[in-house]
Amino acid sequence: MSAASAVVRGLGGALPRKVVTNEHLSAVMDTSDEWIRRRTGIAERRHSDETESTSVLATMAGRRALASAGVDSAGLLIVATSTPDKVCPATAPKVAANLGLKGIAAFDVSAVCSGFVYALTTATWAIRSGSVDSALVIGADTFTRLLDPTDRTTSVIFGDGAGAAYLSAGTAEEPGAIKASTLHSDGEGETLIQVPEGPGSFFEMQGKEVFTQAVAAMSDSVETVLASAGWAAGDVDSLIAHQANLRILNTVASVTGIPASKAEVHLDRVGNTSAASIPLAMTDAGTKGHRSPGDKVVLTAFGGGTTWGAVAMTWPSISVVDPH
Ligand code: UT7
């Protein structure tokens, strides 16, 4: 029998230990704390070491999301990542085994910064179809491994981390219910955000063009899920957009008519953590006590592919551990 709704019942995050401030970066490349704060809103980010692989961070975030929900298993595990431990096999089976969930369906989703929105929507489809009754969705990335450490256009923005949500079947009226979602892609934008082919290639991004497309795509998808959920922009209590740039968050708020004060800001302390960015920002909002069960929340992301999408949901009734 198909379930009426998928309901988020747990959240968790994990961050590497090493904090890299704007001052640290200014000492090794031609940039400044003033430029980075003014152009991006970022003050510091985390860099993983060799013991903090994507699967290690994903496992830690997943364990915290299960604990936050008060459960110890899930019927499905999806890891959204573009920095898997290995090109082959996927990271999710290893994370499932680390969590004592050997045997369950486990796979990776590769949609760069939109990965969490893609994975959350896929898990919602699986629960609503009745195929599984619960799912653990993890966004985890260690992009700093792919960066040219001397490239100021990417190194100032990206950081590493993981965030996770546990969902199970329930009703649309329960706090944490996923109300609507929309996913999109345009492969003609393949080269805007990429690691080009060839040995020794580093991650590259055409920042200005990505900025413009990200604002348009995220604003459109927010409007789509607001219409599907039957919510007006003024009803939204929290806009949790992919944490790439403070100027992008404020512009999406202004285009969609959601007050900028409703945009959750976490990038100041972690930078752009790619697929981990939205669940980490959700975890941060939970630990700050910003949200009440049933609040109207909109998630949205844009990333490589290009890919983008949005989810409308209500805030769950949960307690969350601070990953900082
Ligand atoms: O996660 C997937 C989605 N990603 C995004 O959404 C990222 C979107 N893009 C952005 O956030 C912004 O485009 C960046 C933060 C990447 C760049 O900001 P910008 O305001 O678009 O700067 P810009 O690339 O136009 O560069 C402006 C100036 C240039 O100097 P000139 O040509 O005006 O003399 C750059 O060389 O700033 C210079 N610049 C820097 N200066 C100091 C570029 N990077 C830096 C830097 N420090 N780190």
Side-chain angles (χ1 to χ4, degrees), residues 265-304:
V265 178
H266 185 226
L267 52 79
D268 52 336
R269 285 184 294 161
V270 296
N272 179 345
T273 56
S274 189
S277 136
I278 287 179
L280 274 173
M282 293 172 79
T283 302
D284 188 55
T287 55
K288 282 174 179 159
H290 273 184
R291 303 270 55 92
S292 307
D295 278 1
K296 294 182 173 65
V297 177
V298 176
L299 317 178
T300 186
F302 178 87

Side-chain angles (χ1 to χ4, degrees), residues 5-11 116-117 120 124 165-167 172 174-181 225-226 229 231 235-240 278-279 282 291-300 310-318:
S5 261
V7 180
V8 173
R9 303 187 192 276
L11 291 172
F116 184 77
V117 167
L120 185 66
T124 300
Y166 169 85
L167 300 92
E174 285 181 85
I178 306 287
K179 299 284 195 181
S181 89
V225 294
L226 287 180
W231 297 346
D235 296 339
V236 174
D237 297 300
S238 177
L239 172 66
I240 308 188
I278 287 179
M282 293 172 79
R291 303 270 55 92
S292 307
D295 278 1
K296 294 182 173 65
V297 177
V298 176
L299 317 178
T300 186
V311 169
M313 61 178 285
T314 53
W315 188 256
S317 183
I318 48 164

Side-chain angles (χ1 to χ4, degrees), residues 11-14 64-65 67-68 280 283-284 286-287 318-324:
L11 291 172
R64 287 177 174 161
S68 154
L280 274 173
T283 302
D284 188 55
T287 55
I318 48 164
S319 65
V320 184
V321 173
D322 188 353
H324 288 95

Side-chain angles (χ1 to χ4, degrees), residues 8 51 138 147 173 179 201 204 217 320:
V8 173
T51 68
I138 306 174
L147 303 179
E173 291 69 40
K179 299 284 195 181
S201 298
E204 306 172 345
V320 184

Side-chain angles (χ1 to χ4, degrees), residues 29-32 35-36 39-40 112-114 151-158 193 203 205-212 214-215 218 242-248 272-274 302-304:
M29 63 186 68
D30 183 16
T31 191
S32 64
W35 191 95
I36 303 170
R39 303 306 294 171
T40 72
V112 202
C113 299
S114 311
D151 180 359
R152 68 179 184 172
T153 69
T154 52
S155 290
V156 301
I157 300 165
F158 286 89
I193 298 171
F203 174 86
M205 179 171 70
Q206 293 176 35
K208 268 208 175 320
E209 181 58 24
V210 170
F211 189 112
T212 308
V215 167
M218 289 199 281
H242 171 50
Q243 304 281 303
N245 187 319
L246 185 58
R247 291 182 294 136
I248 295 180
N272 179 345
T273 56
S274 189
F302 178 87

